[in-house]
Structures are given as structure tokens and as C-alpha cells.
């Protein structure tokens, strides 16, 4: 009995310890961002690794998500004789929800796991301690550029996802199913608002980018420096950041559109 | 490691693509053009019932959007809704006795204000009030009137039938 209670207490303390370490880590990383100003190439290389290399998967999934939305939306809307509203449906669901969320999930799988594995391997091969020996702060030299790059790349990727998705919906709706082109665009323009929908979507994607990258670099930095530890940390990155994105999405949606 | 020039080039393309998508989203998908602050003059009108009219609903004349609803208030004395609308500056020649009515686009569509020109020589200007207004059609009232009418007619024809027998 007492043993069980002790275990419960230990695991609770462990969770809080990890949370505390995570936040301290975030604080030091944010402080390290200042030292990046004279060396923007460090960030550029990471934007390339996280953003440019994720382009293909984001664009292809955006196109297909938009096309599926077009097909499914048409089949539902045509029952109500409202197939002209297809543009509204596709654009609103992409800009408000699917763009930021699906991009963040794909980003966690494509870029987040790579970040964790890279940093975890650096730790287990003692490159990070080597840097400390040379009085180079690994948080500023390794972690901060990756963190910043993730926060920059995510909103851009989400915007591309939404734009390509709208095009996909347009191809299927107007090209394939014969929705009127003028009504498709004009109804969309009449009901999508810049502040309410597009800016809120961008805010969402920035928040997701920060959370996913934070979890990814922290898991890598905090992993047990063995091959098994790195593999576990990579798994945790994908699971935790996906859960965090979905949970945060609900909170943000309630704050933005709830009223 | 790739050459740093190549990386810079790719990142440049990536950022440009992202910006272009954002731009396309705000210009092509949303209504940024329609809600840009337009120069115009404000006129008010009182309605008994505005139905589902909202701020930024269109104001149309002959089907052309000439302005937008700016503000909706309530008059405590006459218990009427006070709608102020901003008419674009290029439509200066609206007669003073213009009629404002609230219409619905389609059966269940959004509501808008329709203006019909009168014959007055003087024109609407900043701050003038449109006196002739017609309230929104409330669907429930219409259905109610229709059903009532029908019941009334059925009763009448029923008594008429009895009388003829």
C-alpha cells in the first residue's frame, strides 16, 4: 500500500519535474534567440531542413484534402440545393481548422521527429557536452535556431496548405462536378473574413508551430542518451505534439469562435 | 551539407511561396476588397423591424452595392431600430425622398437594404435621414398571416356550403 502511494508520488513529482525543466528550457532557448541575430545563416539552414523539406508532403496532402472536401461537401450540399456554397465550406474548413491542424500533425511527423532524433543523437554522441567544454552554449547554438525555424516555417506551411486545398476544392467542385465558377468564388469571398478567419488561422498555426517545435527540441535535449532513449524520445515527440496540437486547437477555437 | 547559397535560395523560394499563399488567401478567398474602409457619407433610417440585418450588410440600389450598414442602434423614444449606413462618395445624387426597405436575398439568404429613388430635386448628404422605410419581412409573421387567411377562407366556404344545402 505504502509502496504504491510512494510510486504514485514519485511519478507525479517526475511529471512536474519534467514540466519545470521544459519551461526552464524554453526560457533559456528564448534567451538564446537574441544571440542568433549576427548569424542568420544558422536559422536559414534550419528553415531549409524543417520547412523546405516538408513542402512536398504539405502541398500534396493539402491538394488531396481540398479535393476530398470538394467531393464530400458537394454530395452533402447538393441534397439541400446549396451546391453553390461549396466554396464557403471548403475555404472556411481549410482556413479555420484543417489548414493549421493537419499541417501541424504532418509537421510533427515530418520535421518534429527529425529534430528530436538529430538532437538526441548529438546528445548521445556527446557533441552537446563537447560544445559546453568549448564554452559554446548548445542552447543558443543548436536549439534556438531550430526552435525559431520551426516557429517561422509552420505558419507559412499552413498558409500553403490552405491555399492549395482551396485550389483542390476548386478543381473538383468547378472542374469535375460543375458548380458555377462565379458562385463558388463570390460566395466564398462573401463569407470568409480576413480578421476573423484568416488572421485567426495564422495565429493558430504560429501557436502550433511553437508548441510542436518546443516539444520536439525538448524531447531531444532531455532524452536518455542511448539508442533506445533516442527512439523513445522520437516516439514521444510525435505522440505528445499531436495530442498537444489537438487539445490546443480546441482551446484556441473556443477562444476565437466561441463567444 | 549543401552549399549555403543553395540553402538561401530554397529558403527564399519557400518564404516567397508562403507569403504568396497568404496573399492569395486574403485577396482571392476573403472579402478584403468589400470591407476596405471607403470614403463616404452617412445617412440614417428608422425601421420598425430590421429582422436579421447586420453591421456591414450591403446597401443596394437597383441591385448594385452602393454602401454598407455602418451601425445599428435602438431609439428609446419611438422603439424603432436606427440604422446608419455609409454610402460611397461616388453616389452623390440620391433624391431626398429615397425609400429604404429591408429585403432578403433568396428565401433564406442574408438581408440587405434596398434603396429606391424618389423624385425630389435635393440630394441625400452627410447626416440626412431617410424618412420612408419599409421593415423586414419576418418569415414567421408571413406564415402566420397565410395560415390565418387560409383558415378564415375554409371557414367561410364551409358555412357557404351548408347554406347552399
Amino acid at each position: 500500500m505504502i509502496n504504491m502511494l510512494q510510486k504514485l508520488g514519485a511519478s507525479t513529482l517526475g511529471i512536474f519535474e519534467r514540466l519545470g525543466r521544459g519551461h526552464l528550457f524554453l526560457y533559456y532557448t528564448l534567451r538564446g534567440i537574441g544571440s542568433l541575430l549576427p548569424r542568420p545563416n544558422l536559422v536559414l539552414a534550419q528553415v531549409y531542413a524543417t520547412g523546405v523539406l516538408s513542402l512536398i508532403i504539405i502541398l500534396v496532402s493539402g491538394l488531396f484534402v481540398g479535393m476530398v472536401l470538394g467531393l464530400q461537401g458537394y454530395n452533402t450540399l447538393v441534397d439541400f440545393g446549396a451546391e453553390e456554397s461549396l466554396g464557403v465550406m471548403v475555404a472556411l474548413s481549410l482556413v479555420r481548422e484543417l489548414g493549421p491542424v493537419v499541417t501541424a500533425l504532418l509537421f510533427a511527423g515530418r520535421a518534429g521527429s527529425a529534430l528530436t532524433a538529430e538532437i538526441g543523437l548529438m546528445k548521445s554522441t556527446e557533441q552537446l557536452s563537447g560544445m559546453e567544454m568549448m564554452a559554446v552554449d548548445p542552447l543558443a547554438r543548436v536549439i534556438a535556431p531550430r526552435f525559431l525555424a520551426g516557429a517561422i516555417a509552420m505558419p507559412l506551411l499552413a498558409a500553403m496548405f490552405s491555399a492549395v486545398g482551396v485550389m483542390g476544392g476548386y478543381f473538383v467542385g468547378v472542374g469535375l462536378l460543375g458548380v458555377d465558377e462565379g458562385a463558388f468564388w463570390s460566395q466564398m469571398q462573401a463569407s470568409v473574413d480576413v480578421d476573423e478567419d484568416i488572421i485567426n488561422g495564422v495565429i493558430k498555426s504560429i501557436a502550433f508551430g511553437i508548441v510542436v517545435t518546443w516539444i520536439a527540441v525538448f524531447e531531444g535535449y532531455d532524452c536518455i542518451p542511448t539508442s533506445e532513449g533516442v527512439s523513445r524520445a522520437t516516439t514521444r515527440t510525435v505522440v505528445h505534439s499531436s495530442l498537444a496540437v489537438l487539445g490546443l486547437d480546441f482551446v484556441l477555437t473556443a477562444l476565437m469562435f466561441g463567444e | 551539407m549543401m552549399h549555403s547559397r543553395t540553402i538561401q535560395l530554397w529558403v527564399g523560394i519557400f518564404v516567397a511561396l508562403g507569403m504568396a499563399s497568404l496573399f492569395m488567401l486574403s485577396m482571392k478567398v476573403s472579402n478584403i476588397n468589400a470591407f476596405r474602409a471607403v470614403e463616404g457619407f452617412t445617412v440614417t433610417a428608422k425601421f420598425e423591424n430590421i429582422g436579421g440585418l447586420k453591421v456591414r450588410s450591403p446597401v443596394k440600389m437597383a441591385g448594385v452595392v452602393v454602401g454598407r450598414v455602418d451601425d445599428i442602434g435602438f431609439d428609446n423614444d419611438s422603439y424603432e431600430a436606427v440604422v446608419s449606413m455609409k454610402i460611397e462618395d461616388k453616389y452623390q445624387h440620391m433624391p431626398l425622398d429615397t425609400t429604404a426597405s429591408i429585403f432578403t436575398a433568396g428565401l433564406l439568404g442574408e438581408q440587405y437594404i434596398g434603396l429606391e429613388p424618389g423624385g425630389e430635386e435635393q440630394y441625400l448628404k452627410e447626416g440626412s435621414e431617410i424618412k420612408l422605410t419599409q421593415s423586414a419581412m419576418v418569415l414567421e409573421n408571413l406564415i402566420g398571416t397565410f395560415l390565418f387567411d387560409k383558415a378564415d377562407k375554409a371557414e367561410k366556404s364551409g358555412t357557404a356550403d351548408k347554406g347552399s344545402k
Side-chain angles (χ1 to χ4, degrees), chain B residues 65-87:
Chain B
V65 178
V66 296
R68 301 227 162 235
V69 172
D70 209 28
D71 184 43
I72 296 175
F74 183 71
D75 185 346
N76 262 322
D77 299 321
S78 60
Y79 306 113
E80 284 176 323
V82 184
V83 177
S84 61
M85 43 199 133
K86 189 163 248 173
I87 312 285

Side-chain angles (χ1 to χ4, degrees), chain A residues 69-129:
Chain A
L69 272 178
L71 270 178
Q72 293 280 16
Y74 182 82
N75 284 337
T76 312
L77 288 171
V78 82
D79 289 344
F80 302 103
E83 63 268 26
E84 267 77 33
S85 304
L86 185 66
V88 183
M89 206 206 91
V90 171
L92 276 187
S93 36
L94 275 170
V95 170
R96 282 186 178 176
E97 285 300 328
L98 290 175
V101 173
V102 178
T103 310
L105 295 178
L106 292 171
F107 187 74
R110 167 65 186 73
S113 56
L115 280 179
T116 309
E118 189 187 5
I119 296 171
L121 213 66
M122 278 186 177
K123 187 179 181 184
S124 58
T125 52
E126 293 178 343
Q127 293 181 42
L128 295 183
S129 351

Side-chain angles (χ1 to χ4, degrees), chain B residues 20 41 43 54 63 65-66 69 87 95 104 106 109 117 128 136-137 144-145 152 163:
Chain B
F41 57 100
V43 298
K54 289 185 188 69
V65 178
V66 296
V69 172
I87 312 285
T104 310
S128 41
M137 295 276 194
T145 327
D152 218 33

Side-chain angles (χ1 to χ4, degrees), chain A residues 41 44 47-48 51-52 91 153 156-157 159-160 162-163 167 185 188-190 192-194 198 202, chain B residues 1-2 7-8 10-11 14-15 17-19 21-22 24-32 35 56:
Chain A
N41 270 340
L44 277 190
V47 172
Y48 180 82
V52 177
L156 295 173
L157 287 172
M160 287 182 226
S162 300
M167 295 314 289
W185 289 114
M188 188 192 296
Q189 284 161 1
V192 180
D193 193 62
V194 175
I198 293 184
V202 172
Chain B
M1 195 69 189
M2 225 190 277
I7 287 181
Q8 285 172 351
W10 273 108
V11 171
F14 171 70
V15 173
L17 265 181
M19 291 292 169
S21 316
L22 263 183
M24 178 249 171
L25 280 179
S26 31
M27 296 315 279
K28 183 96 184 165
V29 173
S30 80
N31 46 7
I32 194 162
F35 288 158
R56 296 204 295 205

